[in-house]
Amino acid sequence: MLQVALAGKPNAGKSTFFQAATMAEVDVGDYPFTTIDANRGVSYVRTECPCLDREARCGDEHCREGKRYVPVELLDVAGLVPGAHEGKGLGNQFLDALTDADVILNVVDAAGATDAEGEPVEVGSHDPVEDVDFVEREMDLWLASIVERNWETVERQSRSPDFDVDEALTEVLTGVGATAADVAHVLRVLDYPADPLQWGTDHREALAEAIRARTKPIVVVANKADIAPPENVERLREAADRVVPATADGELALRRAAEAGVVDYDPGDEDFEIVADVSDAQREGLETIRSVLEEFGGTGVQGALDAAVYDVLDRITVYPVQNETKWTDGQGNVLPDAHLLPREATPPDLAYAVHSDIGEGYLHAVDARSGRRIGEDHELAEGDVIKIVSTAT
């Protein structure tokens, strides 16, 4: 399962975001380091279900009238403060928890209502753009410190006649989620001495920055956008490649109201309907949230998750079935499974995603929409429904 991690300084709203996205009960407070031990939960990215192309909806528990929710792991870790890579605050604990993350959501207090350490201050008195830069910098320096600690080993290995810098650095960086392909890609674009003995701090930091950008891409969540000065959101958009305005508080309120039967709302909707009697105060609060949805096209919580997985990681959703005519599994369930695969994935990739035995026994695949057999080098696309024929089925 893909892992999305929430990063950011203390008191920026990470735990509220986590709670809204998972509906798990966690500690939420307006003080630094509310989160000490990492929270792990299951959240979902949203896409269109293929059942929309059929007469009836599939009825799967993760499909709401054609809105398909695909599970991902969500990680909420302790807040990051300047100097975290040196162990300040809960820095080492925070950064080590990000090792397996596929993508990072940097939750920023767009309202500027907390200082660099996460202490509450007057709205607008702190520049949130600083929080974008320092999170990236702390992560880069954390990775650089890992490279630095292992550099003596790399230098020793370099004395061997069959030394390969790609292999040596892959061995160092595998522990932070880098693959041999990642290392090879980064080394092709970096300028560095052939002899590791000639590498300086700048070379190692450049390597760390490039590896982080490739293996831990970042989406900035401009949280508290509903109370932020408008110019703050715009400046954040100028400062980062991908920024999603959000109100985690608003999403949590809507999720709770939906659970209580007060509103009709699905995560990621741009509006909601009040379906129960509410007090004047409740209606006023809900209408305030509605105005935020109108301004930003949603609360931003679902939008941030979707942007991280579908846009930044460039994943597609593919649905394996056993019956290509009815789009069912062996028990007759319609479209019961959905897998997030890299774009350009092929049927054998899907087979291995279902189960390693299915992959090893792969024979061929059938496109359930057309009923035609497809080749093993066929590139799958978003919403494909595929039957895998394997010796293991």
Side-chain angles (χ1 to χ4, degrees):
M1 187 181 296
L2 286 179
Q3 186 183 97
V4 181
L6 302 175
K9 70 183 184 184
N11 207 19
K14 297 188 310 302
S15 293
T16 302
F17 186 107
F18 178 88
Q19 191 170 0
T22 63
M23 291 307 290
E25 291 300 322
V26 298
D27 290 334
V28 177
D30 60 350
Y31 50 89
F33 305 120
T34 305
T35 302
I36 297 178
D37 296 321
N39 296 310
R40 294 180 181 271
V42 175
S43 189
Y44 300 84
V45 291
R46 171 174 160 168
T47 188
E48 287 190 355
C49 185
C51 72
L52 289 170
D53 295 330
R54 300 174 73 87
E55 291 186 4
R57 303 289 74 80
C58 68
D60 185 90
E61 64 174 326
H62 293 140
C63 178
R64 304 181 186 180
E65 292 299 313
K67 306 167 189 174
R68 186 68 179 230
Y69 293 89
V70 186
V72 294
E73 183 179 9
L74 190 62
L75 178 69
D76 171 33
V77 298
L80 186 67
V81 297
H85 70 281
E86 298 173 338
K88 293 182 180 178
L90 299 174
N92 291 331
Q93 179 177 329
F94 167 92
L95 293 164
D96 289 346
L98 296 180
T99 295
D100 296 324
D102 296 291
V103 62
I104 309 294
L105 296 181
N106 179 7
V107 181
V108 172
D109 174 8
T114 44
D115 64 18
E117 302 288 336
E119 296 288 351
V121 294
E122 183 179 352
V123 171
S125 60
H126 178 74
D127 184 359
V129 173
E130 295 179 7
D131 301 335
V132 174
D133 298 334
F134 108 82
V135 166
E136 290 188 6
R137 184 61 176 161
E138 288 295 334
M139 291 179 63
D140 291 345
L141 291 175
W142 163 64
L143 282 173
S145 70
I146 293 174
V147 174
E148 187 75 38
R149 288 198 301 270
N150 289 276
W151 200 250
E152 185 177 338
T153 300
V154 175
E155 291 178 338
R156 262 199 321 272
Q157 293 173 343
S158 70
R159 300 186 182 100
S160 171
D162 58 351
F163 173 74
D164 185 296
V165 67
D166 289 48
E167 291 181 3
L169 292 180
T170 297
E171 185 177 339
V172 171
L173 295 166
T174 296
V176 293
T179 65
D182 293 327
V183 173
H185 174 86
V186 165
L187 289 179
R188 282 199 301 271
V189 298
L190 288 180
D191 183 18
Y192 60 92
D195 184 357
L197 292 170
Q198 301 302 315
W199 281 51
T201 299
D202 289 347
H203 294 112
R204 287 186 283 271
E205 287 189 5
L207 171 67
E209 182 178 349
I211 286 291
R212 193 275 307 156
R214 182 171 175 84
T215 65
K216 304 285 186 288
I218 295 175
V219 174
V220 173
V221 180
N223 193 34
K224 308 181 187 179
D226 51 323
I227 61 172
E231 62 271 18
N232 278 13
V233 175
E234 291 307 313
R235 291 178 61 251
L236 284 168
R237 282 174 165 155
E238 293 172 359
D241 292 334
R242 192 171 297 277
V243 177
V244 180
T247 168
D249 281 334
E251 176 70 13
L252 183 57
L254 284 178
R255 295 265 188 127
R256 286 173 170 168
E259 280 194 343
V262 174
V263 302
D264 182 7
Y265 171 75
D266 291 326
D269 284 355
E270 296 182 2
D271 201 357
F272 60 89
E273 180 183 359
I274 300 175
V275 295
D277 292 333
V278 294
S279 66
D280 290 344
Q282 288 174 320
R283 184 175 296 277
E284 181 179 356
L286 287 169
E287 292 303 330
T288 298
I289 296 175
R290 193 193 304 277
S291 66
V292 175
L293 268 63
E294 291 174 351
E295 181 178 0
F296 297 114
T299 68
V301 171
Q302 188 66 58
L305 290 165
D306 294 346
V309 172
Y310 288 118
D311 297 339
V312 174
L313 294 181
D314 201 20
R315 292 304 200 263
I316 59 173
T317 322
V318 184
Y319 304 78
V321 295
Q322 290 190 33
N323 186 313
E324 69 272 32
T325 302
K326 298 181 178 179
W327 293 11
T328 59
D329 63 8
Q331 288 72 49
N333 301 306
V334 179
L335 298 171
D337 299 311
H339 290 270
L340 293 166
L341 302 178
R343 193 169 298 278
E344 302 180 357
T346 61
D349 295 326
L350 174 61
Y352 275 103
V354 173
H355 196 281
S356 58
D357 291 344
I358 302 293
E360 291 172 3
Y362 177 84
L363 296 174
H364 66 268
V366 177
D367 182 339
R369 294 180 185 273
S370 66
R372 297 177 180 175
R373 183 181 295 196
I374 53 179
E376 63 180 58
D377 59 349
H378 174 83
E379 290 186 8
L380 300 174
E382 171 65 28
D384 274 355
V385 181
I386 304 294
K387 175 182 178 178
I388 298 294
V389 179
S390 168
T391 58
T393 57

